Amino acid sequence: MQASNLEIIKLNNLKLAAKIISEQLKNGLHFGKRVGVGSEFEQYRYYEPGDDPKRIDWKYFSRSGKYMIKESQTESHLSIRMMLDLSGSMNYTENGIKRLDYAKNLLASLSYLAHLQGDSLNYFTLKDGRVEQKVAASPKAFQRILYILEEETAAGAWPVSRQDFPILKSKQKELIILVSDFLQKGNEWLDIVEQMRHPKKEIVLFQILGKQEEKFELKGNFNFHDLESNRSVILDNKAIDKIYNESIRTYLSDFKNSLLLPKVHLFQVRLTDSISGILSKFLTERSLS
């Protein structure tokens, strides 16, 4: 019998939780097939901006007129950038599960899997309009990520106005994993994703939401508290449920459609979804891509 999200989070031990979650996975501990430069030929793919022109198969070009690159299976390691939203809305709690705790356990489990494979790990946070690198790649990066994750707190709001973050614009080949609720007033999170996009990068976004955030169904009067501005308002469900449900449905659909971009993958997750199940889906999709 698998441990529930609440049982795992109550362990209050990210390393143990990550091990338990990894053992629950059914699809193996792999981020996916590694493809790069090697000796054993696997397949052709089209040349993309950012690829080394030396990798073009010119003999194939002479026959077909197409710029193709040979790919082969390799044991080279991935460079992975773990990123966590620490704005106040990450403190949202539903049925005893805080979004921030869910996010921490998700990132800890992903870091554990990457650590087992020998991948290079970095860790960044987004808070109060700042993007901060807290762990750089090193042999002890995994242990440092767990240590810092344990102490992370969420507060404040992410600015609506567009900001420029040079730290997000590296041209290094890497896998970027960003965990957030991606609830925005303008296009602030879409701006962040756009700044990170590059032909050499793959971006994976985990959007964590509560059931009541996706569809408000509670009855009666409620004190709604904004976790970012600290403002509160008392409303009856009849005054808001239709407008709210239509608005959130439209937002989530529009947000998803805005991210139908090359090498960008969005996973919309509920707090009730098992973390191991989400990771299994993620790893399966990567292995098939």
Side-chain angles (χ1 to χ4, degrees):
M1 184 176 179
Q2 292 189 350
S4 68
N5 290 337
L6 187 57
E7 289 171 332
I8 288 172
I9 289 171
K10 282 186 174 181
L11 290 172
N12 201 28
N13 184 321
L14 290 180
K15 188 172 184 178
L16 176 58
K19 289 182 177 180
I20 292 173
I21 291 169
S22 69
E23 290 171 0
Q24 292 178 352
L25 294 175
K26 298 179 180 179
N27 293 312
L29 307 181
H30 300 285
F31 275 96
K33 181 183 287 187
R34 304 298 179 75
V35 179
V37 181
S39 58
E40 182 183 352
F41 175 68
E42 290 283 328
Q43 62 184 359
Y44 281 108
R45 69 168 173 82
Y46 284 100
Y47 172 83
E48 297 178 352
D51 288 329
D52 185 348
K54 294 179 181 179
R55 295 182 60 197
I56 295 174
D57 189 328
W58 295 107
K59 290 184 178 179
Y60 188 95
F61 173 77
S62 66
R63 298 194 306 269
S64 66
K66 298 178 181 179
Y67 294 97
M68 306 296 287
I69 286 179
K70 281 185 177 181
E71 287 191 332
S72 57
Q73 191 70 34
T74 181
E75 294 303 318
S76 61
H77 299 307
L78 281 171
S79 175
I80 303 177
R81 183 189 300 212
M82 302 290 185
M83 303 184 70
L84 177 60
D85 171 19
L86 290 177
S87 55
S89 60
M90 294 297 287
N91 288 320
Y92 176 79
T93 302
E94 191 172 292
N95 296 324
I97 299 177
K98 182 186 288 189
R99 179 163 31 233
L100 181 60
D101 291 333
Y102 188 107
K104 287 181 178 184
N105 281 271
L106 178 62
L107 276 177
S109 301
L110 286 164
S111 298
Y112 179 67
L113 298 181
H115 174 66
L116 292 179
Q117 292 189 166
D119 293 321
S120 175
L121 286 168
N122 298 266
Y123 171 60
F124 291 72
T125 58
L126 299 94
K127 188 176 185 179
D128 295 326
R130 300 192 305 273
V131 178
E132 181 180 357
Q133 181 175 16
K134 293 189 175 178
V135 178
S138 74
K140 294 185 178 181
F142 169 62
Q143 288 81 4
R144 286 187 53 76
I145 288 174
L146 291 188
Y147 176 77
I148 292 174
L149 273 176
E150 294 275 10
E151 304 300 320
E152 297 286 32
T153 58
W158 188 259
V160 176
S161 58
R162 191 183 190 283
Q163 300 178 84
D164 190 59
F165 297 104
I167 196 172
L168 297 178
K169 299 180 180 180
S170 75
K171 297 181 180 179
Q172 176 186 355
K173 183 177 182 180
E174 63 181 345
L175 170 64
I176 299 173
I177 297 174
L178 171 56
V179 182
S180 171
D181 53 27
F182 295 112
L183 297 176
Q184 57 184 10
K185 296 178 180 178
N187 290 315
E188 53 267 34
W189 289 112
L190 294 176
D191 288 340
I192 290 290
V193 173
E194 187 58 36
Q195 290 189 54
M196 295 191 295
R197 288 185 65 210
H198 186 275
K200 290 185 178 180
K201 298 181 186 296
E202 182 179 1
I203 302 173
V204 178
L205 310 170
F206 288 96
Q207 182 179 32
I208 304 173
L209 297 170
K211 180 181 178 182
Q212 293 301 324
E213 288 181 303
E214 286 193 274
K215 186 176 182 180
F216 186 76
E217 296 179 316
L218 300 178
K219 306 298 182 182
N221 293 323
F222 294 90
N223 184 356
F224 293 91
H225 181 72
D226 187 330
L227 293 169
E228 296 191 357
S229 68
N230 283 324
R231 294 175 58 191
S232 295
V233 60
I234 297 176
L235 293 171
D236 181 80
N237 74 292
K238 294 179 181 179
I240 65 164
D241 59 356
K242 183 177 180 180
I243 296 175
Y244 175 86
N245 289 332
E246 288 178 354
S247 297
I248 192 67
R249 184 166 56 248
T250 299
Y251 168 69
L252 293 177
S253 176
D254 290 347
F255 186 73
K256 184 176 182 178
N257 289 333
S258 297
L259 292 169
L260 295 176
L261 303 166
K263 296 188 176 182
V264 177
H265 314 277
L266 173 65
F267 291 85
Q268 292 180 314
V269 181
R270 275 189 175 182
L271 287 170
T272 51
D273 292 338
S274 75
I275 296 174
S276 60
I278 293 301
L279 290 180
S280 178
K281 180 180 178 181
F282 162 64
L283 296 174
T284 299
E285 291 193 14
R286 276 192 57 80
S287 67
L288 295 175
S289 61

